Every structure is written in C-alpha cells, then in structure tokens.
Amino acid sequence: MRVAAIYDIHANLPALEAVLQDIRQAEVDHVVVGGYVLPGPMPRETLACLAGLDMPVQFIRGNGDRVVLAQMAGTESSEVPEQFREIVRWGARQLHPEDGQLLASWPQTLRVDIRGLGEVLFCHATPRNDNEIFTRLTSEDRLLPVFEGLNVPVVVCGHTHMQFDRTIGGIRVVNAGSVGMPFGDPGAYWLLLGPDVQLRKTHYDLAKAAARIRETKYPQAQDFAARNVLQPPSERETLEAFARAELR
C-alpha cells in the first residue's frame, strides 16, 4: 500500500488541488490528512474537496481545526494570538453544522500499517500534543520523553511546515512539511510512504493561486497570497523563530 500524507493545508485550495493531481499520478492507495486543514482562505471548498476524494482518506485533527471547532461552539481559544483571532472567527462563520461534525470526528492520532515501514503513527505536532514545536535542530535528549513507549518504527508529524527525516531514540520521525503554507522555498510539500519514505514537493502556478486567494473574502487574503504563497519566510529565519518557542 502506498500512502500520501498531506499536512497543514491551511485552506489553500489551489495548492491542495495540485498535490492531489500528483498523488493520483503516483498511484497512491490511501491518503492521510494530518491536520490544520483550517483556517485559511477557502475553508468550505477545501473541506468539500477532501470529502469528495475518490480514494480512501483518513483525517487527524490539528490545532487549527481544533480552535475553529471551538469557535463554532462559541468558545474563543486563548492560545490563538490576537492578530490571528479574526481569521479563526471568519473561518468558523464560513462552515455549516455538518462541517463541525466532520471536524469533531477527527482523532488526534492514527496508526496505519504500511508495507515496508510497518505500523506508522500519524500525529499533528507530537504524539502527546497538537501544538508542541520541534524541528530538525531540536536536541534528541529533549525529545526522547515525547517519543518513548510508542512501539512503532515510524512517526509522521507536521505543524512546523518544514520537512525533515530524523531518528529519535530509534524511531524514524518524518515531518511532511506543509501543503498550503510552507516555510522555505515556495511550493506544496507532502510525503509518499511505502515501501520507504519520500519527501515530495509539488510545483504549481503560484501567481494564479495568489490571484484566486486575493479574490476571496478572507480577512488576510493579500498577506496570505504574498507571504505564504509567493514568497514564504525562509527556513533559516523560521528555525530561528521556532528555537525560542520549541518544547522544553
């Protein structure tokens, strides 16, 4: 079985559409959506696209999905910085009750048996938390308590929007990167799993995608198009910023 792992879509529908085209060409059997589908510029359309996939798909919930779901229930999450609360409120207003039911059904983690890899654990940030930050530079000593006792050979995560493939206490830990909001070179990043792990990047028409995003009523559409599609932050500056926030 060949599995595609797609993470951190951020409701960037043009990026998702491009990745799904590559996934079909790769003859993938199964898709795992690793969380943070929302919020972003095209929330309803992105959920509809994923719900309408013509192949088996499983979801896990990320921190973005969780705070949008809480907002739909009338609870504003204190973990969301003030400058981003407007987009969470807007995203929640775009969704229908059945969308909320879908989000609520997504588990925090998922285990899938993949030929050549064995049982793979999928989580959003870490196996214990959907909002913890670690990168390819975080010391192994700091991460050992997070990954001990899992009894799996491979863990797939996301959340920090930068791909890596490293070993922590004998477990292979792979970050899928971000489909819709990469940190580093522009594009859409994802994983192909089975029989090994392939870090994939999909190139798509960035200018056309930015134009589509600007046409939405998303509160930060101009900034999203400019800074998350056309010219994302560099990996270096992102790693420096995350070093101050990574798990202790």
Side-chain angles (χ1 to χ4, degrees):
M1 180 170 71
R2 288 160 67 85
V3 176
I6 56 176
Y7 275 65
D8 295 287
I9 299 167
H10 283 254
N12 180 347
L13 183 63
L16 174 61
E17 290 171 339
V19 167
L20 291 176
Q21 185 174 355
D22 273 3
I23 284 173
R24 291 187 177 93
Q25 292 174 352
E27 299 181 345
V28 165
D29 305 297
H30 193 92
V31 176
V32 173
V33 181
Y36 217 126
V37 175
L38 310 171
M42 304 175 186
R44 276 201 315 269
E45 300 90 336
T46 299
L47 282 176
C49 178
L50 292 169
L53 280 179
D54 55 354
M55 64 185 76
V57 58
Q58 290 177 282
F59 297 84
I60 57 176
R61 189 165 68 229
N63 57 311
D65 314 304
R66 174 172 52 77
V67 298
V68 169
L69 183 62
Q71 188 72 48
M72 291 181 74
T75 302
E76 188 161 86
S77 176
S78 60
E79 76 185 61
V80 179
E82 184 61 42
Q83 66 267 34
F84 299 122
R85 291 182 184 179
E86 180 187 22
I87 65 174
V88 174
R89 298 180 195 119
W90 182 85
R93 290 196 300 269
Q94 308 313 303
L95 303 182
H96 301 302
E98 55 268 31
D99 298 319
Q101 293 169 8
L102 177 64
L103 295 178
S105 73
W106 297 350
Q108 269 195 290
T109 63
L110 182 68
R111 292 177 183 238
V112 179
D113 192 63
I114 300 176
R115 180 177 60 86
L117 296 174
E119 188 177 48
V120 177
L121 173 65
F122 294 87
C123 60
H124 181 67
T126 71
R128 68 185 187 185
N129 186 291
D130 67 11
N131 203 30
E132 288 183 312
I133 290 174
F134 74 101
T135 72
R136 62 180 177 83
L137 301 181
T138 307
S139 71
E140 183 176 9
D141 287 347
R142 194 174 288 170
L143 294 171
L144 285 172
V146 179
F147 290 90
E148 65 183 359
L150 295 176
N151 297 316
V152 293
V154 180
V155 172
V156 174
C157 62
H159 188 56
T160 54
H161 300 198
M162 294 174 290
Q163 288 181 330
F164 62 69
D165 187 349
R166 59 177 293 186
T167 300
I168 300 169
I171 297 175
R172 188 176 184 181
V173 180
V174 188
N175 190 301
S178 172
V179 170
M181 187 187 283
F183 296 148
D185 293 335
Y189 296 78
W190 56 286
L191 296 181
L192 181 60
L193 305 163
D196 200 357
V197 177
Q198 296 180 37
L199 305 180
R200 291 293 189 101
K201 177 184 178 183
T202 294
H203 298 275
Y204 65 107
D205 190 329
L206 301 175
K208 187 176 180 180
R212 286 177 65 186
I213 288 167
R214 291 190 192 103
E215 290 171 358
T216 70
K217 295 181 179 179
Y218 185 62
Q220 299 180 12
Q222 296 292 332
D223 187 65
F224 191 101
R227 286 189 45 80
N228 300 128
V229 176
L230 297 175
Q231 193 172 4
S234 72
E235 182 187 49
R236 179 186 58 79
E237 64 182 297
T238 305
L239 286 170
E240 289 175 356
F242 280 168
R244 297 189 291 270
E246 67 184 16
L247 59 86
R248 292 288 187 265

